[in-house]
Amino acid sequence: MHDMETARMVLNVEWERFMAENDMEWVVKPVSWDEGAFIGNGSIGSMIYGEENAKKRHVLRFVAGRTDVTASRTDRPGFPPRVPIGELDLEMEGMIYHPTSMRVDLWNAELRANLTTTRGEVNLRSIVHSEVPVMAVEIETSEGENGTQFSWYPYPEVDHVLKNADGFNLNQFIPATEVEKADKDGVSFCIQRYSSEEGCVTAWREIQTSPNCRVFFMTIIKGHDEAAMIEAVDAVNQASNMDFDEWVRAHRQWWHRYYRKSFVSIPDGRLQSFYWIQMYKLASATRADQLLIDNQGPWLTSTPWPGVWFNMNVQMSYSPVYTANRLDIGASLVRTLEENKENLINNVPEPFRHDSAGLGRSCSYDLRAEVDDEIGNLNWICHNVWRQYRYSMDDEMLKTILFPLLRRSVNYYLHILEEGDDGWLHLPPTISPEYGSFMRTKVRDCHYDLALLRWGCETLLEICDRLTEEDPLRVKWKEVLEKLTPLPVDETGFMIGQDTPLAYGHRHFSHLLAIFPLHLIGCEREEDRELIATSLRHWIGKEGDLRGFSMTGAASIAATLGWGNEALRYLQSLLMIIKPNTMYKEAGPVIETPLAGAEAIHDMLLQSWGGKIRVFPAVPDEWRETAFHDLRTEGAFLVSAMRRDGETQFIRVKSLAGEPCVIKTGWNGIVGWKIMRTNVIEHTVDLKDGEDEIILDLGKGEEAILYPGEEVPDLKIHAVESHRKVARFFGGHKPWRLYGL
């Protein structure tokens, strides 16, 4: 028996150095939202870029946003959309020239830039503080640029050259705005009023720290009353009166703790950088105590979608937080649902409000969205909350939030179910999101709804068993599972619905939800694998309407099948259509697609559906070395693993809740494992082909180390070398980096 310490796994990572390779970098100034540098703290943020128009080449723009600033429409009915706030312009003496460089330091969550102008130089760094709603921009100027100045422009006063630089969307509501400017307690502020109730306050103060060095502090607060003005002024004064280095240090420490929650290293420089930028983007877009992630995060620009969409966008935006062990980010979604449960009830027709709830397609942050022909959105959102539960095993959240909400959501389906002459329960015509959108195509027994209803009933029964509660609807849920019409299938795989095959391009995977993310159908039986494979190939072969999020869904489905090479090809296709700064845009920006790309990478490394943990289930052949640490799974396990020469060297599993643990290792032959208790408990087993599952008996807080053979290997997890060494590919458009320059 080995000493316990010899079986301890070690994470050997120089975090700052590792993260530096994944930074975003610009070798010339960015000139559009698509390639801008972005910073944020979950509520306020800024997209930073310049402009090529001759009269504005001396300006670096900090286009500001605050997620909760909305305005009621006066042009037509609709929810209160987000509205643009304005921008802080850094106006220099000379035109921005070259060599100019910018870099987003991910590890410290700060922008640094060296701006060369026709008059001199401006060195800059900027953060949005991680713990207070204040942005700071520090500049150091050369002699020729001592006249550089900061200017805040509320949106109505932004120069039309800048305002329209990223296009103008005719569907976007821009409210009539009253602007008032004043000073208080050494702080300047600007009030923007959209109505008697709505508006925002921007406040700022500039501090001279040395003859050629200044720091500009700025905040944005929702509202335009006295309280909002006082809050804004106080926030700026408190920040500007602190020791700046200490203030920045506290900001950095938050981010360092955040990143260390888990670690992923893959031998593809572009994809690895892409992954870590998404982790940065998540915490820049929301926090546990902030609003849920909408279609853009804090970086609003011209868009037809200035709000929250629930037929895919929110669900996919949150998809990576669970495996990434960043459940505090997911808490923002759970809290939003709990705070607005009355609105969810009022979203269904009045006769059903006594026991039901629902969620339409789009709304503001109050979740007021009446249910029409798109029925399943709340059930799908409940699946995200179910993942939040399964990855944390928080029974209190399960009992008080998820169970009553999912129960109401399923009840709405129960009200519209119809028994047919064939004895099966059927659903009336509903919409499969994004299929035949312009024609508002409705189909009976829509896969989207059948899958979500089946998942909902199964989950409600599982929750009752977990909580040992006898709900009077148990009998009904079981009846639905027994009598619900099967998911429609033809020779091409899963259909959109009854008598409706997938006949033309479909960007959404709404007709494949039973495969992913619900995993109602697994891969153990050959006929199920064939159905999944046929459905995937038929869907993705209809190229007419594919989008970036089609690639992420396809990658995750391929990973479910264990097709690592195919999953990688879909992700490589995704990288061809995302923007240089890893944002994504169609008719307007939407944030969910790159975030879902991060989840697809997780699915290649670790899966945990169906009561089993799958380690390296879909690693591409070219990923000979791969490593991850403290990724989280269902059952609240933290899993770490290291792969070398195409073989998994060891697996570490730590139980946070004492739940049952079944792990698929991918190994054959002799496998050993050690369970860390007061004494190390050792086991071995001889795994035959196709029998790679191991059941681990782990109590809460215990961990096990698993390894092939009889000797404990080197238990170090480290960053792996990339066979495609592409450092800092993202940021500005730098295609030459693909060729190793």
Side-chain angles (χ1 to χ4, degrees), residues 55-90:
K55 63 182 284 190
K56 294 295 181 181
R57 284 182 183 170
H58 66 298
V59 174
L60 186 68
R61 309 170 63 193
F62 288 74
V63 181
R66 180 170 172 121
T67 312
D68 57 1
V69 176
T70 60
S72 296
R73 300 193 77 113
T74 56
D75 58 336
R76 61 175 173 81
F79 64 81
R82 288 184 59 186
V83 294
I85 293 170
E87 60 186 71
L88 171 67
D89 287 352
L90 182 64

Side-chain angles (χ1 to χ4, degrees), residues 295-312:
N295 275 21
Q296 285 193 230
W299 310 289
L300 184 71
T301 189
S302 177
T303 179
W305 306 305
V308 191
W309 262 251
F310 283 104
N311 60 350
M312 175 192 66

Side-chain angles (χ1 to χ4, degrees), residues 21-22 266-274 722-730:
E21 295 293 293
N22 301 308
I266 56 179
D268 184 314
R270 280 198 303 163
L271 271 179
Q272 178 173 277
S273 180
F274 169 83
S722 173
H723 63 279
R724 293 179 177 170
K725 189 69 171 179
V726 187
R728 297 181 293 283
F729 174 77
F730 295 102

Side-chain angles (χ1 to χ4, degrees), residues 540-570:
I540 216 68
K542 297 280 187 183
E543 297 185 20
D545 199 28
L546 298 180
R547 297 291 189 271
F549 56 82
S550 312
M551 297 300 106
T552 69
S556 288
I557 293 172
T560 298
L561 288 165
W563 294 354
N565 293 338
E566 188 148 338
L568 178 59
R569 283 196 292 272
Y570 293 133

